[in-house]
């Protein structure tokens, strides 16, 4: 069968968790004999596009054997990151869907590409949606009104009216109605975590959200075999984007309060240069912290071999952070914020520790616990190895394939496409 994967951004331009999820799933689907293609939005300079279609520039390329169509609006509206409608890309979306004639559209993230969902609905093409954040109920997509606080959902727009006054009530009301229509008309709505499903169900009932955990690509996983004694040095690590809501500034603030000499912090990942520079300035006199910059997924095994404990200090409701699960799959314990899908996965004292949202002092205390008694890490590693099962991409793909098969078109001779 033919499957189009729709996502707001993609490799090699972007490389966060949602892109990794779509790449893994598209690759596994392709290996299973399906014809796949990714359709995504791009912010590259106009000179990178070789095709012109009215309001839209686009190009075709291949990434790790996966065909990709990346498009860009010639005139980008101010609300491109928050809205669920855009008249300028609707005609283009219709044209591409008719040309591609897929059996199924799988939405990895609707931001900037939502017109492909609307047109799939108009053309009678079945689609499924995997929820990867809160974009369908929150134009800010992380339920963070001001970047330092969280809300529990729009409550029909009442919470938005109080906490996000930059959005008009009519905009929020219309957006929620659009979101509900897109979700209720999907053939399946999937969430990688129970927490995310519960938050969406609080706003829209009776969606029948299915839980399919993201799988881990074991090709890049190496088991961390280190054993600790009472005097072991501890290397803490962070891996991911260097952006505000990932909370790295909280981690650095906590680490600046660590007086122990037998400890290091290794930071892997990148972000906007001005933000990175500010993070580095905040620990300019701390020689225990090293920034390593952007890393490729092929380096993941080496990173997890070189750290003892991963820290995910996010200040939003991470629903299923892949790097957290990659760490656990590698036998590396995790210290995580006690929010969302992170708290759902980390069992305090068993496979890691949790700390209070946004509280650098509490994080510092949890870090110090492991510095003072490294033997605890051995116990956590034993629990991870013997008591935890981290899904593989093959298992994730199998569950999605069961959904896909419901929409496989038969040929006239009785064979399946």
């Amino acid at each position: 069968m033919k499957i189009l994967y729709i996502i707001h951004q993609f490799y090699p331009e972007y490389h966060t968790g949602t892109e990794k999820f779509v790449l893994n799933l598209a690759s596994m689907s392709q290996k299973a004999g399906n014809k796949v293609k990714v359709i995504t939005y791009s912010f590259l300079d106009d000179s990178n596009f070789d095709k012109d279609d009215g309001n839209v520039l686009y190009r075709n390329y291949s990434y790790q054997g996966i065909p990709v169509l990346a498009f860009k609006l010639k005139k980008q509206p101010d609300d491109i990151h928050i809205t669920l409608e855009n008249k300028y890309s609707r005609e283009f979306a219709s044209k591409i869907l008719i040309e591609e004639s897929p059996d199924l559209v799988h939405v990895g993230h609707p931001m900037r590409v939502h017109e492909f969902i609307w047109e799939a609905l108009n053309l009678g093409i079945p689609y499924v949606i995997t929820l990867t954040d809160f974009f369908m109920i929150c134009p800010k997509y992380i339920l963070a009104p001001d970047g330092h606080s969280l809300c529990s959902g729009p409550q029909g727009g009442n919470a938005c009216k109080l906490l996000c006054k930059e959005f008009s009530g009519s905009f929020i009301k219309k957006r929620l109605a659009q979101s509900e229509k897109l979700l209720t008309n999907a053939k399946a709505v999937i969430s990688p975590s129970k927490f995310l499903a519960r938050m969406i169900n609080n706003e829209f009932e009776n969606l029948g959200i299915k839980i399919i955990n993201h799988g881990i690509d074991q090709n890049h996983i190496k088991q961390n075999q280190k054993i600790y004694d009472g005097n072991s040095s501890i290397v803490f690590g962070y891996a991911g984007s260097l952006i505000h809501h990932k909370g790295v500034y909280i981690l650095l603030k906590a680490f600046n309060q660590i007086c122990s000499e037998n400890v290091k912090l290794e930071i892997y990942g990148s972000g906007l240069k001005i933000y990175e520079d500010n993070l580095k300035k905040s620990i300019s006199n701390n020689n225990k912290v090293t920034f390593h910059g952007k890393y490729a997924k092929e380096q993941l095994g080496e990173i997890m071999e070189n750290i003892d404990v991963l820290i995910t200090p996010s200040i939003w409701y991470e629903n299923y952070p892949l790097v957290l699960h990659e760490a656990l799959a590698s036998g590396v314990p995790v210290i995580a914020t006690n929010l969302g899908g992170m708290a759902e996965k980390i069992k305090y004292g068993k496979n890691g520790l949790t700390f209070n949202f946004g509280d650098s002092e509490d994080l510092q205390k949890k870090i110090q616990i492991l510095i003072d008694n490294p033997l605890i890490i051995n116990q956590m590693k034993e629990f991870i190895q013997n008591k935890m099962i981290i899904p593989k991409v093959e298992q994730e793909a199998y569950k999605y394939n069961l959904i896909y098969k419901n929409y496989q078109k038969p040929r006239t001779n009785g064979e399946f496409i």
Side-chain angles (χ1 to χ4, degrees):
M1 66 186 298
K2 186 171 185 178
I3 306 167
L4 293 184
Y5 291 91
I6 311 297
I7 184 172
H8 62 326
Q9 56 194 37
F10 197 62
Y11 294 95
E13 195 174 347
Y14 297 93
H15 45 85
T16 61
T18 303
E19 294 89 286
K20 187 182 293 186
F21 155 67
V22 169
L23 177 62
N24 286 344
L25 194 55
S27 298
M28 293 304 301
S29 187
Q30 187 181 66
K31 289 177 182 177
N34 297 312
K35 188 174 183 180
V36 305
K37 190 169 190 176
V38 172
I39 296 180
T40 190
Y41 198 88
S42 172
F43 289 96
L44 292 176
D45 185 79
D46 291 358
S47 61
N48 289 278
F49 300 86
D50 58 1
K51 293 181 173 60
D52 189 313
D53 189 271
N55 297 310
V56 176
L57 298 172
Y58 68 107
R59 69 186 183 109
N60 288 285
Y61 65 97
S62 178
Y63 185 81
Q64 295 189 3
I66 302 297
V68 182
L69 184 155
F71 73 97
K72 176 184 180 181
L73 290 171
K74 291 180 181 177
K75 184 178 180 181
Q76 295 187 145
D78 294 336
D79 62 357
I80 189 171
H81 305 297
I82 62 173
T83 187
L84 276 172
E85 62 178 350
N86 188 305
K87 63 181 181 180
Y88 298 109
S89 57
R90 175 76 56 101
E91 186 176 340
F92 176 72
S94 180
K95 171 189 171 181
I96 296 300
L97 287 174
I98 291 170
E99 287 179 357
E100 295 289 342
S101 186
D103 297 282
L104 182 72
V105 170
H106 188 157
V107 182
H109 200 293
M111 183 190 289
R112 300 186 287 268
V113 293
H114 36 68
E115 296 310 318
F116 284 88
I117 319 175
W118 288 115
E119 286 307 303
L121 181 58
N122 289 338
L123 294 168
I125 300 171
Y127 64 90
V128 300
I129 297 177
T130 296
L131 304 165
T132 51
D133 59 24
F134 305 98
F135 184 75
M136 296 303 282
I137 60 172
C138 174
K140 294 183 177 180
Y141 76 89
I142 58 173
L143 293 177
D146 59 9
H148 298 281
S149 61
L150 296 171
C151 80
S152 57
Q155 299 174 19
N158 293 326
C160 309
K161 190 183 300 184
L162 292 173
L163 301 173
C164 297
K165 296 180 180 179
E166 65 268 36
F167 301 122
S168 69
S170 59
F171 169 77
I172 292 296
K173 185 176 180 179
K174 182 179 180 180
R175 190 182 190 279
L176 287 173
Q178 292 171 326
S179 180
E180 186 172 22
K181 184 174 181 178
L182 290 177
L183 289 169
T184 55
N185 281 282
K187 298 302 181 182
V189 180
I190 302 103
S191 170
S193 73
K194 294 176 182 177
F195 176 83
L196 176 58
R198 185 168 64 251
M199 295 291 279
I200 300 297
N201 275 328
N202 285 342
E203 198 65 34
F204 306 126
E205 297 179 354
N206 304 317
L207 290 178
I209 300 175
K210 304 176 187 295
I211 306 298
I212 300 179
N213 295 151
H214 288 328
I216 301 302
D217 183 355
Q218 295 289 331
N219 292 325
H220 306 297
I221 295 294
K222 295 181 181 178
Q223 286 299 308
N224 184 310
Q225 303 286 358
K226 186 173 177 181
I227 298 174
Y228 304 84
D229 60 36
N231 296 314
S232 292
S233 59
I234 307 298
V235 178
F236 295 89
Y238 170 86
S241 301
L242 300 184
I243 50 181
H244 177 75
H245 63 265
K246 290 294 185 179
V248 181
Y249 70 97
I250 294 170
L251 170 56
L252 296 177
K253 187 175 180 181
F255 220 79
N256 270 337
Q257 304 305 312
I258 300 293
C259 298
S260 307
E261 293 298 324
N262 215 19
V263 61
K264 292 181 180 179
L265 174 62
E266 309 289 342
I267 305 287
Y268 297 89
S270 61
L272 292 175
K273 186 177 185 302
I274 188 170
Y275 190 77
E276 282 191 48
D277 289 345
N278 286 335
L279 289 176
K280 291 173 182 177
K281 286 178 184 177
S282 71
I283 46 89
S284 57
N285 296 320
N286 193 333
N287 58 12
K288 303 186 187 80
V289 181
T290 304
F291 283 80
H292 295 275
K294 182 179 177 180
Y295 67 95
K297 67 177 184 178
E298 292 79 11
Q299 297 173 275
L300 183 66
E302 181 182 343
I303 290 172
M304 294 303 171
E305 279 188 320
N306 290 334
I307 66 174
D308 303 306
V309 178
L310 181 79
I311 301 178
T312 57
S314 296
I315 57 171
W316 74 289
Y317 302 111
E318 292 265 14
N319 70 88
Y320 200 93
L322 277 172
V323 70
L324 180 152
H325 294 81
E326 288 163 341
L328 295 174
S330 304
V332 175
V334 178
I335 300 178
T337 311
N338 60 350
L339 287 174
M342 296 176 289
E344 189 175 302
K345 184 60 63 173
I346 300 303
K347 311 301 180 187
Y348 192 93
K350 300 291 187 181
N351 58 358
L353 302 171
T354 56
F355 70 98
N356 296 329
F357 161 71
D359 190 338
S360 62
E361 291 186 8
D362 192 40
L363 174 55
Q364 183 266 324
K365 291 176 183 177
K366 302 305 164 57
I367 292 172
Q368 196 67 49
I369 288 172
L370 300 182
I371 294 172
D372 293 341
N373 190 0
L375 294 172
I376 295 174
I377 302 176
N378 293 333
Q379 299 169 14
M380 291 178 174
K381 291 168 75 74
E382 184 178 355
F383 179 90
I384 294 168
Q385 181 178 358
N386 298 323
K387 302 291 185 179
M388 295 197 69
I389 298 176
I390 306 298
K392 299 178 182 179
V393 289
E394 291 84 357
Q395 294 167 310
E396 178 188 26
Y398 173 77
K399 291 181 179 180
Y400 274 105
N401 196 49
L402 293 177
I403 296 173
Y404 293 165
K405 283 184 176 180
N406 293 323
Y407 308 101
Q408 200 167 28
K409 298 175 185 175
R411 292 184 186 275
T412 55
N413 62 5
E415 295 179 355
F416 282 98
I417 296 175

